[in-house]
Amino acid sequence: MAEERRQKQCSVVLPTESMKAMAESVGVGQLQEESCVALSEEVSYRIKEIAQDALKFMHHGKRRKLTTSDIDNALKLKNVEPLFGFQSQEFIPFRFASGGGRELHFYEEREVDLSDIINTPLPRVPLDVSLKAHWLSIEGVEPSIPENPPPATKEQQKVESTEPLKVVKPGQEEEATIQGKSQGATAADGKGKEKGLIRLKPRSTHELSVEQQLYYKEITEACVGSCEAKRAEALQSIATDPGLYQMLPRFSTFISEGVRVNVVQNNLALLIYLMRMVKALMDNPTLYLEKYLHELIPAVVTCIVSKQLCLRPDVDNHWALRDFAARLMAQSCKTFSTTTNNIQSRITKTLTKSWLDEKTQWTTRYGCIAGLAELGPDVIKTLILPRLTIEGARIKAVMDGPVVSNIDKIGADHVQSLLLKHCASVIAKIRPQPDNVEQYRTDYGYLGPMLCSHVMKARTQAALQAQQVNRTTLTITQPRPTLSVSQSGLSGSSGPRTPSIIKVPSSLTLMSPRPGTPSQPSPPATKYIVMATSAGAASTQQVITLSSSQSASSVTSTVPSASSNLQPLVKLESGSGPGLTLTQSGSGPGLTASRPLQKYIVVSLPSSASSSLEPKSSVLPTSISSTQLDTGMKMERSESPGASTQSPH
Amino acid sequence: MAAVQGGLVDADNEKDIKTEPPSDGWVNNNANDGKVLSASPGSSATAGSNKPAAATTATAAGTPEDQQTLLAVLQFLRKNNLSESVEILRREAGLPENSLEAKAGDSSGTGDADTDAGDSSSLLSRVTVSSSARAPSPKKATAGEDQPDVNVVLSAYSQQGDPALYDVYYSGLKKFIETVLDCHRAELSQVFYPLFVHMYLELVYNNHESEAKAFFGKFSGDQECYYEDDLRILSSLSKKEHMRGNETLLDFRTSKFVLRISRDSYQLLKRHLQERQNNQIWNIIQEHLYIDIFDGIPRSKSQIDAMSGSLAGEGRREANKTKVYYGLLKEPEIELPLDDEDEEAENEEGKPKKKKPKKDSMGSKSKKQDPNAPSQTRIPLPELKDSDKLDKIMYMKEATKRIRLGPDNLPSICFYTFLNAYQGLTAVDFTDDSSLIAGGFADSTVRVWSITPKKLRKVKSAADLNVIDKESDDVLERIMDEKTASESKILYGHSGPVYGISFSPDRNYLLSSSEDGTVRLWSLLTFTCLVGYKGHNYPVWDTHFSPHGYYFVSGGHDRVARLWATDHYQPLRIFSGHLADVTCTRFHPNSNYLATGSSDRTIRLWDVLNGNCVRIFTGHKGPIHTLAFSPNGKFLASGATDGRVLLWDIGHGLMITELKGHTDTIYSLKFSRDSEILASGSMDNTVRLWDATKAFDDLETDDFTAATGHIHLQDNSLELLLGTYMTKSTPVIHLHFTRRNLLLAAGAYNP
C-alpha cells in the first residue's frame, strides 16, 4: 500500500498540455514537445520543493492548514518574489471553454455595477485578539464548564449505551482518565497487555461536585418555579450546556418523579414545565438520552394519554400539553428507535390498544390519536384512516345524542378537529382529485363531508405556499448581485452546461447574524445550498418544502433568474435541522464555532431532467467556494436535488 | 565529508571572533582562531563532533583526503582575505607553503565559479552570492560543482558503474541480509536505508533517470516508515540539476551516515561483500557510511529503532563522551540580602524561629558546590542588580509556598485562550513570575498582556521625566505614565510572522524572532524596539533568553544557532553542525550550555564557552519542535512532530525513556519547578502530565549502558501518563509552571 503510494509520488508530473497553455498565455506560440516535457518535469520538481518548504512554515505557524502566506514565505525563501494579491474568493478563478478543437482558459471579467458595491453593507470588522483564562484542570480533574469539551461526547455516550462492551477509542478517553490513570491507560491502550483479562465496564462516577449540586438545585427550581424569565434561562442552559452529562440521571429522575406526583395532583402547569425540560434535554447537542428513556418515556406517555391532567378539564387547555408531549414522543421515537429497543412499534402498539378500547375516555382517546398522528403520515395512513368511520360514528353519537356530560362533548369535539387536522393533509396526498363530498361520506362516514372541505383547503394551501415561497425568496436573495453569475457560460438549452460557480459575498448580514463568542457554544453553523436548475425541473424542485419542524431559520426559496429558462433554487438551512442528512456533516463541537462557518454548495442541473431522475448515483459537479481560504476548503458531497426531496423535512 | 569539515572549521573561525563575550575581542580574533584549532586535535573527545575524521584518524592531515579538505579551507579563507587565519591554519596543519600555492591557481577561479553558478542556477536555487559567503561551504560545493577544491564531495558519485547492476547489487545484499541469523539481521538492516539513498543519488547523478526511477520504485517500500519524509523529497528529485539546490540531499552526501554495528555483524557483512566482489556497495559503505563498531552482543530491532531516525544516522558514541557540567550554579550573593529581608519580614510577623531553620537548610544546600556544576566564572555572567536580588527573594518566598506535586497531587491547569486569533498565533511566552504573557502573531505583531491586575504602563516621556523628583523613594513608580495604563500592548516592527518569543528573566526585555530574518529586542518599559539583530538571513524559528539574562540564542532556517549578547549587534558564537533547520533553542539552567533541536531530527547540546557540540541525541522520527531542561539541569525533554516525548540524561548522554500518547506535533514541554512532573502540550488539543520522577528513577545507569550507549526502553508510557486534559479546540502551544507549581497553558482557539 505504502509502496504504491510512493510510486505515485515519484511519478506525478504536470501534464505537458499545461505547459503549452502556460506558454501560450505568455506569448510563446510553438513549444516543442521535448521542451514541454523538460519544463513540466522541472516545474513539478520546483512546485514540490516549494510545497515542502511551505509545509515547514505551516508547522512553525502551529497550524494544521496550509495557507497561501506559507507558500508566499516559501517562495521568499527561494528568493522568488511572492505572489501578490492572491485573494480569490472563488474555487477556481478561471473558466474553461472548448469548441472547434480548441481549449481555452480565461478569467471571467464581468461587469460590476459600482452602485452595487457602494450599496453593499460593509463587512464586519474582525474582532481583535483577546485573552481569556479558564480552568482546564483543578487538581487533576477537568471541570465541566462550557470552556472545556464535554466529558463524554455524544457519540461516545451513544456507543456506551448501545454497545457497552466496546472499547473506548483512544483520544476520547478523557472521561476514563479523570477517574484514574489506570483506566485511562487501559482505554488508551486498546488492545494492550490486558487482552487476556476480562474487560470490565468502566465505572462512572455518580458524585456531583458542589458546583454541580448547586447548579442542579438552581436549574430544577427555576424550571418548576413561578418566574417565567428564570425558567427560560434555565431551559436555555439545559439545552446548550455541554457539561450536563454527569447530571443527566438526576434530571431524568426529577422529571419522572415530578410527572408521577403532579399527574396525581392534576397540576397541569408543572407537567408542562417538566415536558419543556424534556424538550430542552433532547435539544442539547451534547447529550444522548438513550440510557434514560426508561424513565422519560413513561413520563411523556403519561402526559399524552392520562385521563385527567388538570383540575378543571372543561376549562383548562390540557390538549396543548398532550399535543406537545406527543411531539416529544415522536421526536424521541425518531431519534432513539432501533431494531433492538423497538420503541416506535411498542409505543404504537400501546397507543393503538388503548384507542381501540371502547371504554377509553375522550381525553385518553385524544392523546392516543395525537401520539399516533405525530409519528408521521405513514402511521396515519395505516392506523388512523381505516378507523375514521368508526371514530366518526362515535363522535356523532356524542354530538347528536343525548347530552351525557359537557366534558365528553368537548373531548369529542377536540378529537374531531384533531382527526381532521392530521388526516386532511395525508388524504390530500394519497387521494386523487376531484374531491367529491358524497364519495367522502361513503368512505369516511360521519367525518366525510368535513374531511372533504379540509382536504380542499389543504390543497389550495399547498399551492399558495409554493407561491409564498417564491415571494419570500425574492426579498431575501435579490440584493445579491452575484447570483446572476450562474447563468454564465453556454446556454442551458443547447447542450450540457459547464458547472458554474455562484459567489456569495460573506458580508451579507443575513447569513451571519450571530456575533461570535466562543465562550458560549454558539448555535451550529448555517449552511447554504444553492441549487440551480432549469425551468423544466423547477416544478419538482418546489417540492422542497419549508421545513416546518424546529428549524425556524430554514427557508426554501426560488429565485427568478434574469435569463428566462433557468431557475436557480436557493435553500438555506440551519445545521441542526433535518438538512444534516443532506450535507452529511455532523454538528460536532468543531462546528460550534465563534465565527459561523459558512459553506456554499452550488449545484447546477443540466436542463435535461435525466440527472435528477437518477437521484443517488449521479453526484452532480459541485464546487464550493469558501469565504475565507484559511477556514479551509472542505469538499462536501451534496446529493442531487432529486435525492434531497426525499429527505424527511 | 571533506567539505563539511571545511564548513565547520570555517564556522569555527567565525564563531571565535569573540571567545570572551563581554571583553571586546574583535581585533584579536585570529589569536583565538589558533587557540581553538590547536585545541581540537589534542582533545580528541571534543573534536569528535566537530572534526570527526580528525578524531578517528588521530592526525589532522593524515590522509590525502583530509589534506585536501584543509586545502579547501585555506582557499576559502584566502578568498575572504583572512590571511592571518590562513597562516595559522597552515602552521597548525603542518602544510608546506607551496602546497597552497599549488592550489592557488584553482582557487582563483572560485569566485568566478561562484557567480557563474549564481547566474546559471535557476531563480529558485537558494544559492546566492550572499548565502554562499555566509553559509558553510557545502553550499559552495553545489554552486561550483566542477571546482577541484570541493570536488572531493562529488567525486564519489562520478564513478561510472553499470546502472543496470545496481538493482542486482541491492537485491543481492537484501537477500543476504534476509538469510543471516536473526540476531544480526536487525543490525545489518540498518545499512539498507543509507545504501538505498546513495545508490539512488548515484544513479541520478550519472543521468540514469529511468533506472533511478525503477530503483526507487522497487526498493523504497522496504525502508523504515520513519524515513518517509526524506523519501518524499528524494522521490521528487530525478535530475542531476535538481541536486544543486537541494540541501537535504547535499547533507546526505556530505555527512557520513553513522551506523552502530557490533563487530560480529560487521565482519559478516564485510566477508559477504568481499566474497561477492561487490565493490559498488563496498565503496559506498566505505565512503559515505561511518560504521561505529562495538564489541558485544548485537542490538535488537527495538534498540536500534529507538535510536535511529535522524537524517544522518545515530550520533557517534564518542560524540557524547565529553564531560558536561550539568549542575546548577550556586547563588551566593543572594544569601545575605535574603536573610536580611527575611528577618525583617519575619520580625514583623513575630515568628522568626519557625522559619529560620528552613532558610538555613536552603542556604546550605546551595552553598555546597555541586561536583557537576561548572565553575562560577566559566562564562562571564552579568552582575545581579538590586532589582534582580529582590526578584530572587520573591522567588524564594514563593518557593516556600510551592505545592509538592506527585502522581497523587496533580497540578491545576489554568488555560489562557487567545480568542479571535484566526489561526495567527505562532508563539507564546510567560514571564518567570507569571505576571506577563506575550504572543507572537503571523501578522508580524507581538502583543503583551498583563495577567495580573497590574496594568502595563509606559515610562513617561523625557520631558516629563525631567520634572519628577529623582530622590523620592517611589521614583520607580513615578516614572511610569498612568495615562498609558492598559491590559495589553502591541509591538510593531517585524515584517513577517513572529515564530519565537522570549522574556528576559528581569522582565524588562522581550525578544522576538521572525520570518524576516531578524531577532528584535523590545523594552517592556517603553514598549519600543531597542535593537534588531541581523545575522540570520532566513527565517529565525526560535529564540531564548539565557536564565541569567544578557545572552540569548537564536536558531533558524540557515541551519545554525547563534549566541548573542544583548549589547552586541553581532553574534558571539555560531553553532553550526545541524543538517537542517534549527527549529528550537533552549538555554541550560546554568547558562553554560544550550540545546538546539532541528528538523534533521537530532538534538545537539552546545558548550557556550567554546562553541563545541558536546552531545548529539538521535531517536526522534520527525522535526523537533520543543525542548525543555529539567530545573536541576540533569535532564532534557524533547518533543517532535512524531508526537513522542523523549527524555535524555545529559550527564551520560543517553535516552532515558520515550513517552507515547500524543497524536500530533508537540509544541510545548515544561518540567514542574521541582522536576516531579513533565507537562506536554500538543497540536492534538491536549495537555498531558507525565510522572517525571518515576521516569528518572527507573533509569539504570550501569556501566555497560553508559559505555556502550545501548539502551533498553521499557514501554511504560502508560504508567507514566498521569493525566490527559482535552481542550475544546485549542492546540496547546505553550506551557509554564508558576513559582508555586500552578500550570499555565496557552493556545489559540481554533474554531
Side-chain angles (χ1 to χ4, degrees):
Chain A
M1 193 67 189
E3 203 172 341
E4 240 172 68
R5 214 180 56 229
R6 269 182 207 154
Q7 265 175 330
K8 254 188 204 161
Q9 281 167 4
C10 189
S11 60
V12 170
V13 166
L14 290 175
T16 50
E17 288 79 37
S18 314
M19 294 300 122
K20 272 194 189 139
M22 280 179 226
E24 260 176 51
S25 72
V26 294
V28 180
Q30 295 296 316
L31 205 62
Q32 289 189 343
E33 194 62 28
E34 281 171 43
S35 332
C36 281
V37 171
L39 265 176
S40 74
E41 278 181 4
E42 177 69 16
V43 168
S44 314
Y45 171 71
R46 296 298 171 195
I47 287 177
K48 281 177 197 170
E49 213 176 28
I50 288 164
Q52 277 156 3
D53 276 337
L55 215 59
K56 218 178 251 180
F57 282 94
M58 179 193 81
H59 274 302
H60 281 281
K62 296 170 172 102
R63 275 176 278 114
R64 272 201 205 89
K65 284 169 190 153
L66 195 72
T67 63
T68 47
S69 62
D70 289 332
I71 292 170
D72 282 352
N73 285 333
L75 287 171
K76 231 166 118 187
L77 211 62
K78 301 269 177 205
N79 256 336
V80 182
E81 197 162 307
L83 310 165
F84 289 104
F86 188 83
Q87 281 279 329
S88 178
Q89 293 221 328
E90 294 178 27
F91 182 56
I92 300 168
F94 52 83
R95 307 248 175 280
F96 172 73
S98 68
R102 292 278 295 163
E103 291 179 344
L104 191 63
H105 297 267
F106 62 95
Y107 285 101
E108 182 167 295
E109 294 177 82
R110 63 186 102 84
E111 278 179 30
V112 178
D113 193 349
L114 272 180
S115 61
D116 275 353
I117 294 177
I118 295 163
N119 292 333
T120 322
L122 286 172
R124 278 184 306 151
V125 177
L127 297 168
D128 198 19
V129 183
S130 60
L131 197 61
K132 187 176 187 300
H134 73 268
W135 289 107
L136 182 64
S137 146
I138 296 169
E139 288 173 358
V141 180
E142 191 160 349
S144 296
I145 46 174
E147 284 86 352
N148 288 333
T153 58
K154 197 167 180 179
E155 288 72 38
Q156 203 181 330
Q157 292 174 39
K158 188 174 180 179
V159 168
E160 220 169 80
S161 53
T162 50
E163 291 163 89
L165 291 180
K166 201 173 171 184
V167 182
V168 185
K169 276 183 226 140
Q172 293 188 330
E173 77 281 16
E174 314 84 63
E175 197 208 350
T177 352
I178 290 164
Q179 294 153 16
K181 59 162 184 147
S182 59
Q183 275 182 4
T186 45
D189 193 14
K191 38 184 189 265
K193 306 158 213 164
E194 294 96 320
K195 219 182 209 169
L197 298 179
I198 300 160
R199 179 162 287 282
L200 295 173
K201 200 177 158 202
R203 167 179 58 96
S204 57
T205 41
H206 291 291
E207 283 166 30
L208 296 187
S209 66
V210 180
E211 292 84 0
Q212 282 173 320
Q213 285 172 28
L214 277 173
Y215 174 86
Y216 173 76
K217 195 163 155 264
E218 282 288 316
I219 288 286
T220 47
E221 273 172 13
C223 277
V224 295
S226 54
C227 176
E228 182 57 36
K230 252 190 177 176
R231 178 166 26 254
E233 231 173 274
L235 289 173
Q236 170 73 15
S237 171
I238 294 179
T240 53
D241 203 305
L244 297 184
Y245 174 61
Q246 299 265 332
M247 277 174 264
L248 204 46
R250 263 90 173 168
F251 278 126
S252 138
T253 314
F254 178 83
I255 291 165
S256 110
E257 288 296 311
V259 168
R260 194 172 306 181
V261 171
N262 287 299
V263 157
V264 176
Q265 298 185 344
N266 293 325
N267 194 335
L268 180 66
L270 274 179
L271 288 174
I272 291 174
Y273 300 154
L274 291 168
M275 284 305 108
R276 284 170 73 182
M277 273 180 87
V278 176
K279 171 101 174 74
L281 284 174
M282 279 190 169
D283 286 348
N284 192 318
T286 61
L287 296 178
Y288 192 73
L289 299 178
E290 214 265 1
K291 268 200 246 177
Y292 308 97
L293 288 181
H294 66 280
E295 285 189 316
L296 294 178
I297 287 188
V300 174
V301 174
T302 306
C303 289
I304 301 175
V305 297
S306 176
K307 260 186 276 185
Q308 199 177 352
L309 288 168
C310 49
L311 289 173
R312 293 163 300 162
D314 46 342
V315 187
D316 289 335
N317 188 4
H318 58 96
W319 312 105
L321 173 62
R322 291 177 202 275
D323 284 340
F324 183 70
R327 271 198 293 278
L328 278 180
M329 192 64 243
Q331 195 189 337
S332 53
C333 278
K334 217 177 272 171
T335 328
F336 302 110
S337 187
T338 60
T339 45
T340 41
N341 61 19
N342 278 328
I343 293 174
Q344 173 144 4
S345 66
R346 280 156 72 188
I347 293 292
T348 320
K349 244 179 240 164
T350 316
L351 293 179
T352 321
K353 205 178 134 208
S354 60
W355 183 28
L356 294 183
D357 193 345
E358 284 299 317
K359 280 173 242 151
T360 310
Q361 298 235 347
W362 281 108
T363 46
T364 309
R365 196 173 291 278
Y366 179 90
C368 292
I369 298 169
L372 288 172
E374 289 292 345
L375 290 175
D378 283 344
V379 179
I380 295 177
K381 204 166 99 182
T382 50
L383 290 175
I384 300 181
L385 291 189
R387 282 187 58 83
L388 272 181
T389 326
I390 304 163
E391 206 57 40
R394 201 193 303 271
I395 292 167
K396 189 168 182 252
V398 176
M399 293 295 200
D400 301 349
V403 178
V404 189
S405 77
N406 195 23
I407 292 172
D408 274 356
K409 197 151 187 182
I410 295 169
D413 195 33
H414 271 100
V415 169
Q416 182 183 325
S417 53
L418 179 79
L419 284 172
L420 290 176
K421 187 176 86 184
H422 283 293
C423 296
S425 59
V426 178
I427 293 173
K429 269 189 201 131
I430 57 167
R431 246 184 114 98
Q433 275 173 319
D435 301 315
N436 187 331
V437 179
E438 284 312 309
Q439 192 64 39
Y440 272 78
R441 194 192 293 280
T442 49
D443 283 355
Y444 303 115
Y446 170 71
L447 291 171
M450 278 176 282
L451 263 178
C452 182
S453 63
H454 270 87
V455 168
M456 283 198 282
K457 222 184 272 172
R459 287 198 210 274
T460 48
Q461 212 156 27
L464 262 177
Q465 213 163 29
Q467 282 176 16
Q468 185 87 22
V469 162
N470 268 333
R471 242 176 288 136
T472 28
T473 339
L474 253 144
T475 50
I476 294 167
T477 46
Q478 254 187 353
R480 253 181 275 173
T482 36
L483 271 176
S484 57
V485 182
S486 66
Q487 276 81 52
S488 71
L490 310 163
S491 76
S493 55
S494 63
R497 271 182 348 115
T498 43
S500 55
I501 295 154
I502 299 180
K503 192 172 73 174
V504 184
S506 58
S507 57
L508 211 74
T509 43
L510 175 87
M511 299 180 163
S512 46
R514 287 177 285 270
T517 43
S519 57
Q520 286 170 346
S522 51
T526 321
K527 292 192 193 73
Y528 308 98
I529 301 168
V530 184
M531 284 173 278
T533 176
S534 61
S539 59
T540 55
Q541 286 292 308
Q542 285 173 356
V543 184
I544 302 174
T545 52
L546 272 159
S547 26
S548 57
S549 58
Q550 57 295 80
S551 62
S553 65
S554 132
V555 184
T556 314
S557 48
T558 49
V559 186
S561 54
S563 101
S564 57
N565 61 341
L566 290 170
Q567 194 165 33
L569 249 177
V570 180
K571 188 168 186 302
L572 311 183
E573 264 184 83
S574 113
S576 63
L580 268 184
T581 50
L582 210 130
T583 48
Q584 301 178 338
S585 91
S587 63
L591 275 181
T592 57
S594 66
R595 288 174 292 166
L597 187 74
Q598 297 168 355
K599 286 179 192 131
Y600 307 108
I601 301 176
V602 185
V603 185
S604 61
L605 269 182
S607 58
S608 59
S610 62
S611 66
S612 59
L613 287 178
E614 29 180 339
K616 297 246 169 172
S617 59
S618 71
V619 176
L620 292 169
T622 51
S623 45
I624 300 100
S625 73
S626 148
T627 42
Q628 275 124 336
L629 261 173
D630 62 353
T631 53
M633 298 194 292
K634 283 189 185 162
M635 294 299 275
E636 216 162 305
R637 295 169 69 98
S638 87
E639 290 167 336
S640 67
S644 73
T645 53
Q646 296 169 351
S647 69
H649 283 289
Chain B
M1 185 64 235
V4 121
Q5 278 186 357
L8 284 170
V9 175
D10 167 32
D12 270 351
N13 290 343
E14 272 186 59
K15 77 180 156 235
D16 280 297
I17 283 168
K18 280 185 62 59
T19 308
E20 308 295 326
S23 74
D24 275 329
W26 290 111
V27 197
N28 57 351
N29 55 356
N30 290 323
N32 288 336
D33 241 349
K35 200 173 86 195
V36 165
L37 284 172
S38 64
S40 47
S43 58
S44 64
T46 346
S49 56
N50 251 2
K51 304 192 64 181
T56 45
T57 55
T59 53
T63 63
E65 197 187 303
D66 283 330
Q67 193 143 6
Q68 224 162 350
T69 309
L70 280 167
L71 285 178
V73 175
L74 283 173
Q75 264 177 324
F76 178 79
L77 292 175
R78 168 169 292 217
K79 200 186 90 202
N80 291 300
N81 292 327
L82 300 167
S83 54
E84 215 170 326
S85 311
V86 172
E87 197 57 30
I88 292 160
L89 178 59
R90 200 174 50 74
R91 248 199 336 266
E92 287 296 330
L95 291 176
E97 194 135 2
N98 58 355
S99 74
L100 188 59
E101 299 309 317
K103 286 279 173 184
D106 296 329
S107 82
S108 64
T110 315
D112 302 345
D114 234 328
T115 45
D116 280 350
D119 294 338
S120 64
S121 62
S122 72
L123 259 181
L124 286 170
S125 163
R126 55 170 289 195
V127 181
T128 57
V129 178
S130 68
S131 75
S132 65
R134 179 194 42 76
S137 36
K139 257 173 230 153
K140 255 162 45 74
T142 33
E145 231 159 9
D146 42 6
Q147 285 311 298
D149 55 342
V150 286
N151 217 5
V152 193
V153 185
L154 300 166
S155 63
Y157 282 142
S158 57
Q159 294 165 346
Q160 189 77 21
D162 184 355
L165 284 178
Y166 277 60
D167 200 333
V168 180
Y169 289 146
Y170 190 88
S171 34
L173 185 72
K174 193 172 147 191
K175 215 171 281 165
F176 161 71
I177 290 176
E178 271 163 9
T179 53
V180 297
L181 284 175
D182 280 359
C183 63
H184 298 297
R185 193 185 302 150
E187 284 209 316
L188 291 180
S189 301
Q190 295 178 86
V191 179
F192 281 137
Y193 175 66
L195 263 187
F196 168 78
V197 177
H198 281 293
M199 289 171 90
Y200 177 73
L201 290 180
E202 229 166 84
L203 284 172
V204 170
Y205 186 81
N206 293 320
N207 290 324
H208 303 299
E209 201 183 316
S210 52
E211 283 92 347
K213 257 186 192 158
F215 184 76
F216 191 91
K218 189 160 179 192
F219 298 112
S220 65
D222 301 345
Q223 310 305 329
E224 298 284 352
C225 54
Y226 40 77
Y227 291 121
E228 202 176 330
D229 286 348
D230 289 344
L231 289 177
R232 198 174 300 139
I233 296 172
L234 210 60
S235 70
S236 62
L237 178 139
S238 57
K239 288 219 179 331
K240 190 177 171 182
E241 295 78 46
H242 295 162
M243 289 170 96
R244 262 193 195 152
N246 200 319
E247 295 99 10
T248 317
L249 299 166
L250 261 169
D251 292 331
F252 208 89
R253 290 188 298 167
T254 51
S255 58
K256 286 197 172 184
F257 196 94
V258 182
L259 301 171
R260 266 183 223 179
I261 292 185
S262 73
R263 189 170 296 283
D264 295 347
S265 307
Y266 179 68
Q267 296 293 353
L268 214 60
L269 178 70
K270 198 172 162 186
R271 211 178 309 135
H272 167 78
L273 291 176
Q274 280 170 352
E275 270 172 22
R276 293 288 175 89
Q277 297 284 306
N278 202 340
N279 286 329
Q280 198 74 28
I281 287 182
W282 187 239
N283 281 343
I284 291 178
I285 290 180
Q286 290 211 305
E287 272 163 38
H288 297 291
L289 266 53
Y290 176 92
I291 298 189
D292 196 351
I293 299 162
F294 63 88
D295 294 302
I297 346 158
R299 293 188 295 169
S300 69
K301 176 95 174 101
S302 63
Q303 277 179 312
I304 292 167
D305 277 348
M307 298 287 287
S308 56
S310 105
L311 197 64
E314 299 179 34
R316 298 169 194 220
R317 270 177 301 157
E318 70 268 6
N320 289 343
K321 289 285 180 265
T322 328
K323 172 143 179 73
V324 173
Y325 301 99
Y326 56 80
L328 300 185
L329 298 173
K330 59 174 182 174
E331 300 177 352
E333 288 155 62
I334 322 295
E335 306 256 22
L336 282 172
L338 170 75
D339 282 346
D340 286 351
E341 274 289 315
D342 251 33
E343 251 156 8
E344 273 170 38
E346 278 155 12
N347 283 339
E348 279 163 29
E349 284 163 27
K351 37 180 180 179
K353 277 175 192 167
K354 201 181 165 189
K355 278 201 172 175
K356 194 90 180 163
K358 228 183 195 171
K359 278 278 153 304
D360 272 352
S361 68
M362 213 178 222
S364 63
K365 210 192 211 168
S366 57
K367 250 176 229 162
K368 220 189 292 165
Q369 174 68 32
D370 184 344
N372 291 311
S375 74
Q376 213 67 9
T377 53
R378 192 164 177 269
I379 62 163
L381 291 172
E383 267 182 40
L384 287 179
K385 290 177 292 198
D386 286 348
S387 58
D388 296 331
K389 288 177 186 167
L390 279 173
D391 196 50
K392 291 268 183 208
I393 292 157
M394 276 305 294
Y395 175 78
M396 293 292 197
K397 278 186 184 163
E398 293 270 294
T400 58
K401 294 176 192 162
R402 186 180 294 163
I403 300 162
R404 282 209 74 79
L405 299 177
D408 304 322
N409 199 6
L410 293 174
S412 300
I413 306 171
C414 181
F415 202 101
Y416 286 91
T417 313
F418 289 80
L419 302 174
N420 309 314
Y422 306 113
Q423 309 216 1
L425 183 71
T426 43
V428 179
D429 195 30
F430 286 97
T431 53
D432 187 66
D433 69 345
S434 319
S435 62
L436 304 175
I437 182 173
F441 290 85
D443 62 1
S444 316
T445 58
V446 175
R447 289 162 198 254
V448 185
W449 280 267
S450 168
I451 49 177
T452 56
K454 205 175 147 190
K455 300 217 163 161
L456 299 173
R457 293 169 301 174
K458 286 185 193 174
V459 172
K460 284 178 184 163
S461 68
D464 291 336
L465 283 176
N466 265 331
V467 184
I468 60 166
D469 175 15
K470 283 156 195 87
E471 300 304 314
S472 72
D473 290 338
D474 59 344
V475 66
L476 287 177
E477 206 36 51
R478 288 191 186 201
I479 59 168
M480 306 313 276
D481 189 353
E482 267 324 307
K483 275 178 284 186
T484 59
S486 65
E487 267 172 27
S488 79
K489 296 261 186 243
I490 307 179
L491 306 174
Y492 297 102
H494 280 296
S495 60
V498 179
Y499 289 120
I501 205 165
S502 177
F503 278 107
S504 75
D506 61 4
R507 296 188 296 287
N508 284 332
Y509 305 106
L510 174 69
L511 276 174
S512 62
S513 71
S514 157
E515 187 270 338
D516 61 14
T518 61
V519 179
R520 279 176 188 269
L521 183 75
W522 308 85
S523 164
L524 297 182
L525 292 172
T526 60
F527 292 97
T528 51
C529 182
L530 301 177
V531 199
Y533 300 95
K534 293 170 185 169
H536 297 275
N537 282 347
Y538 291 105
V540 190
W541 296 132
D542 198 11
T543 184
H544 186 230
F545 242 115
S546 140
H548 295 87
Y550 186 63
Y551 300 107
F552 65 91
V553 59
S554 66
H557 177 71
D558 55 4
R559 304 190 278 173
V560 294
R562 284 158 204 253
L563 178 81
W564 310 75
T566 46
D567 56 358
H568 288 75
Y569 66 91
Q570 283 192 303
L572 307 179
R573 294 281 183 283
I574 293 179
F575 304 101
S576 154
H578 277 298
L579 300 177
D581 303 29
V582 175
T583 47
C584 52
T585 54
R586 274 290 165 279
F587 256 99
H588 190 274
N590 69 19
S591 289
N592 277 266
Y593 296 90
L594 53 92
T596 55
S598 163
S599 27
D600 68 5
R601 306 186 285 274
T602 63
I603 300 151
R604 281 169 187 255
L605 191 71
W606 308 87
D607 192 337
V608 169
L609 179 66
N610 50 26
N612 286 334
C613 174
V614 290
R615 290 283 181 274
I616 302 176
F617 296 133
T618 61
H620 272 298
K621 318 286 188 248
I624 290 140
H625 273 279
T626 178
L627 294 167
F629 281 99
S630 68
N632 59 17
K634 281 185 193 163
F635 306 106
L636 177 68
S638 59
T641 53
D642 57 6
R644 301 180 318 145
V645 178
L646 298 183
L647 292 177
W648 309 90
D649 180 346
I650 295 169
H652 295 96
L654 292 175
M655 190 193 295
I656 298 166
T657 190
E658 170 186 48
L659 305 173
K660 284 188 278 192
H662 282 293
T663 53
D664 209 331
T665 310
I666 295 163
Y667 279 117
S668 55
L669 283 170
K670 198 81 180 188
F671 282 97
S672 68
R673 293 281 174 164
D674 296 318
S675 308
E676 311 104 328
I677 298 253
L678 174 67
S680 61
S682 158
M683 196 74 192
D684 64 10
N685 302 346
T686 57
V687 175
R688 284 173 204 253
L689 300 178
W690 310 87
D691 191 342
T693 321
K694 192 166 176 226
F696 297 145
D697 284 349
D698 288 351
L699 173 68
E700 296 158 30
T701 44
D702 52 68
D703 293 338
F704 175 76
T705 319
T708 56
H710 297 175
I711 39 142
H712 278 286
L713 286 188
Q714 302 145 292
D715 190 17
N716 59 353
S717 317
L718 296 168
E719 290 164 41
L720 296 174
L721 180 65
L722 296 178
T724 304
Y725 305 97
M726 194 146 197
T727 66
K728 221 167 189 176
S729 181
T730 312
V732 186
I733 67 169
H734 194 76
L735 291 166
H736 173 78
F737 274 98
T738 68
R739 290 170 174 178
R740 296 188 190 183
N741 267 340
L742 170 72
L743 181 56
L744 307 181
Y749 183 67
N750 189 3

